Amino acid sequence: MVTATFLLSAFSLILVGIFGMLTRKNIIRILLAVNILETGVNLLLVSFGYFRGGKAPIITAPISASNLPFVDPLPQALVLTSIVIGLGTTALALAITLRYYRRRRTLEFEPDEEDFASVEGARTLMRDSDDSTSVTEGKDLHPGSNVPSDREPAGAKERAK
Amino acid sequence: MEIWVVVLGVLMVVGAIAVLFQRSLRNSIITFGIISLMSALIMAMMKAYDVAITEASIGAVLTTAIFFWSLKRVEEDGYDEKK
Amino acid sequence: MNQAILLLLFPAAAALITPAGSALSERFGRGLALLSYIAGIVYGVVLYPQIAASPASVIVGNWKPPYGINLFVSPLSLGLVLLIYCVAIVILVSDFASNRKRRAQFYLLYSLLTMASVGLVLTADLFNMFVFLEIAGISTFALVAVGREGSGPAGSLRYLVLAQLTTLLMLAGIGLVYSATGVLNIASLSRFAALNPAVAFLAGLLILLPFFLEMKQFPFNGWIGGAYRGASPAIGATMSGLVTVSVAMVLARLLLTMMNTGSAFGDATTKIRTVVLVLGAATVLIGETAAFREKEIKRVLGYSSAGQMGMIAIGIAIASQSAVRGILFLLVSHTIAKVLLFLVAGTSARLSGSDRWDEMRGIARRFPLLGMLFAVGAMTLMGIPLFSGFWGKLDLIRAAIASGGLAVVGVVAVLIATVVEGVYFMKIAHAFFEAPAAAKSAPPESTKQHYGVAFLAPALVLAAATVILGVLPGLIDPWLSSATAELLHPASGYAAHIVTGGLQ
Amino acid sequence: MKRNNRLIINLFALVVVLLFGFISILAVTDGRSGLTMFSADLQHRVSYAFLLKSVSHPERASNATVEPGGRDYEDGAANVVTSVVVDYRMLDTFGEVLVLFAAAAGVGLLMTERKRVVEHDASIVVKTAVPLVMLFAIITGAYIVLHGHLTPGGGFPGGAIIASGFILQFLAFRESPKRLIFKILESLAGLGILAVGLVGLFVKGSLFANFIATGTLGATISAGTVLIIYLLIGIKVAAELASISGDFIGGEQRIGG
């Protein structure tokens, strides 16, 4: 019964995580949902390794084939790795989000593809810094001007039609 | 021990739903931190102490901290939830 | 034969040295990365005769599978590893032509991405595959995000969220398989006692999810547009050339070697292969029509990769002798042609100053060689005879007709897609060869730099490779037949070479 | 219009998610023959040999015995999870170390400059308390790393706790520390892990093979390379998490007060 509860709670965390990822618009909330999904999967893995009445797999007393009162150590090893991978991915995603915000001035994720397409495409490559690390070592692209790029080359939009 | 497992499980799922539907971003991050700690507790209940320590120190503390720092930097850069 | 793991460690060592080394000089990272790929190729070529004689199961830590992790180095995997390293070198060299000053972390991430692709091709353990998939993912997200200032981050975020969703569900699938069978090794699973059909179907699909995403299959390809617009041409070429090779190989490994009638996945295999076939056919149609509508050349190439990967998925799902031969040939020729087209796209975008192919009018008039290179790449993808793509598609279509049933739907999709492909490549070629627009032509100084040897050398090498492969497909016949034998007959070709210590 | 198309997306996603949940539960509780979710009990899993430390000769696992104080087992770690993470499945952990390495490099590459308005400095209380707390954090972290093979914990949580010590220092004392030290430490520790692996490859015949005697089970200095690798992982994780957090906290521009 206990294992079933672990499994069910882990599985419902996964479902809530997936639901959050599919429906939220704010990027930080989507990343929170990704972490909830990840916590759910980690719990699911650990509960796959759980045996009722088992002890932590640390050898403090003599054990033999007949007397192995342990839970399974392997899923714990997998989850150990998965947690740290989750941290790495979240840190990277948030760094990208900061850069996204620096440019788009919003945390809402659904960029209006078409509108941006005409601007992005029409802009000549020379003006646009193809790789921000080369132009300004991480500095703000247009120092001082806080004008989001969408409004800037209005002329380009007409020419692109 | 059964009761605690069921209570924690239900609390975590309710917390996870709360993270998605809370209005303020700051509250969602705090709720997420609490969920991570609860998941570390549940892992300890499953006798997975290695994973519980790792989940607590990395999953709960550092992930929540990084979320807060990003939120802080975005707010300094002019982000305002009310807008 | 455990030294073969060095194949994997060259780029890892280069990546690990880079932070400390980059303090010395800026160009340190770039030179080190190239050096490690060249070392990988030299070691691989030295190793090939020995591996061709007898494939090697490389174990880690002296623990035999299914307890420890093993890598399986066979002619198939070694051949693809060499292809990955060659593509990585070509792309890095072509990236010098762009005027971008790359920071040391760029090369560090690029080496990790290459190592992860090599690891995916070689590994024979499910969780190890998950870890390499994550390394490849993280490096790609960072490299895409550092691309175009405006759309780089947006494209990268969408790609990251979708990739995390599928990879974490794969982890759940791996947990389910482990909880049911007790092993994580592919060779053991390929001859394990049968799982319950429903569990096998669910776990099988969950494990394949991230590979559907990476191969741009239908329900998971929402990320292509943003990622390919945001990435710089070199990273677009990497995503379409380097990563797809390893991902397609892993899909073939899982779908043919791990899941077959005698395996743990037993009779759920046919159901899973039908799902892959249907998804592949849908992807081919959707991918090509999306490419048809696109205005930006990088996105056209991205969606055309989706179409090509759909064909490869169809070939894997048919799982007959000539189908697997066809898709392996198609995979090699697609990689070469797609990287060539990305090189051309990058250079013509730099020369004409815009990403949209309708703004690159007459560029082939000013640079005839550029036009010729584009034509070679396009014809290979379309499958025109005398170019390498033709043989792959021929085998695939012949196999699909021979196997009948749902595969015929696949054939119809492939044929329609080839027509659509032809139309939009013609449209782009027409724009290229049209009378040049009088207005803006880039100043001559930057022309030499963009059009210099750093672009021409790799592009010509790729074009030559495509033509040679097209004219004499027999060159890689021995490799193809041993690869097909390994994939289609896992008992004799794959599992037999893996000495396992008990427990199946 | 905006309101209800959000609603439609939410409802659609809810249906998809519930469908996925229903199908999975149905599949897992399917009655037909064949291995199901609970089929493999401990005896039938690879962990049976991990626990009884008889992976090199699994057929003799059934009569193997392991007890603290025993000498020269094939793997010397008392904490079996550590022996799985660092000895039996070391390639996973090496890959995972590279994941953190890529994340630190990615964050370093992408992090933008921070425009921070500083109103007031940390109070005197914080400034005196932080070095003390930092000391405890680093000692605790080091303890957890060094005892990874005996007690729960190890390189990853220990490294994170050490990193939290450094993070306190970033937050309390305004000037950002020279982060090059973390980059070099991270690179060297990573190379150290690779070096241990290569020595194992050339001395014992396969990568990350244990080339040091594993001593007595449960002793502080035991388990051969497991201790060394977990120490290097601890240093690397501490350096990486400190540099990632340092990038997020960002340097201080004294614009305000």
Side-chain angles (χ1 to χ4, degrees), chain D residues 120-173:
Chain D
H120 52 273
D121 260 351
S123 75
I124 187 70
V125 174
V126 171
K127 287 212 166 159
T128 49
V130 159
L132 215 61
V133 174
M134 214 176 120
L135 189 64
F136 285 127
I138 291 175
I139 290 175
T140 323
Y143 175 83
I144 289 180
V145 168
L146 285 172
H147 286 73
H149 59 297
L150 303 173
T151 58
F156 302 115
I161 294 172
I162 295 174
S164 64
F166 291 115
I167 294 167
L168 281 179
Q169 195 232 350
F170 295 159
L171 291 174
F173 302 101

Side-chain angles (χ1 to χ4, degrees), chain C residues 1-3 5-6 8-9 12-13 15-21 23 59-64 66-69 71 103-106 108-109 112 115 123 125-129 131-132 134-135 138-139 141-143 145-146 169 176 178-184 192-199 202 206 264 271 501-503, chain D residues 20 23-41 43-47 49-50 54-56 58 74-75 87-92 94-111 180 183-184 186-188 190-191 194 198 201-202 204-210 236:
Chain C
M1 198 44 240
N2 296 331
Q3 282 71 16
I5 199 164
L6 287 174
L8 188 68
L9 296 181
L16 285 171
I17 298 170
T18 309
I59 57 175
V60 177
N62 274 346
W63 311 120
K64 286 202 275 297
Y67 300 101
I69 298 170
L71 308 176
R103 284 168 56 173
Q105 282 107 337
F106 179 90
L108 185 154
L109 288 168
L112 286 180
M115 184 215 80
T123 186
D125 185 277
L126 278 180
F127 186 75
N128 203 228
M129 205 178 272
V131 173
F132 281 131
E134 281 286 344
I135 299 176
I138 270 198
S139 318
F141 308 143
L143 291 173
V146 90
L169 287 178
L176 189 56
Y178 175 73
S179 170
T181 60
V183 286
L184 284 174
F192 209 83
L195 282 167
N196 171 304
V199 169
L202 175 70
L206 283 180
K271 273 200 287 185
L503 204 72
Chain D
F20 169 65
I23 290 170
S24 322
I25 289 178
L26 208 63
V28 168
T29 55
D30 186 276
R32 282 174 288 181
S33 70
L35 302 171
T36 63
M37 193 166 65
F38 298 107
S39 302
D41 54 12
Q43 276 65 26
H44 297 91
R45 294 189 181 193
V46 285
S47 331
F50 293 153
S54 49
V55 170
S56 36
E74 66 181 16
D75 162 270
D87 199 354
Y88 293 128
R89 294 188 65 95
M90 181 54 201
L91 197 59
D92 285 348
F94 183 62
E96 188 275 322
V97 156
L98 292 179
V99 163
L100 252 186
F101 192 65
V107 167
L109 192 64
L110 288 162
M111 197 43 77
L180 196 57
K183 283 276 176 281
I184 295 189
E186 178 190 8
S187 182
L188 290 182
L191 283 170
L194 189 57
L198 289 176
L201 178 63
F202 295 119
K204 283 284 184 178
S206 77
L207 192 70
F208 290 117
N210 193 345
K236 190 172 197 305

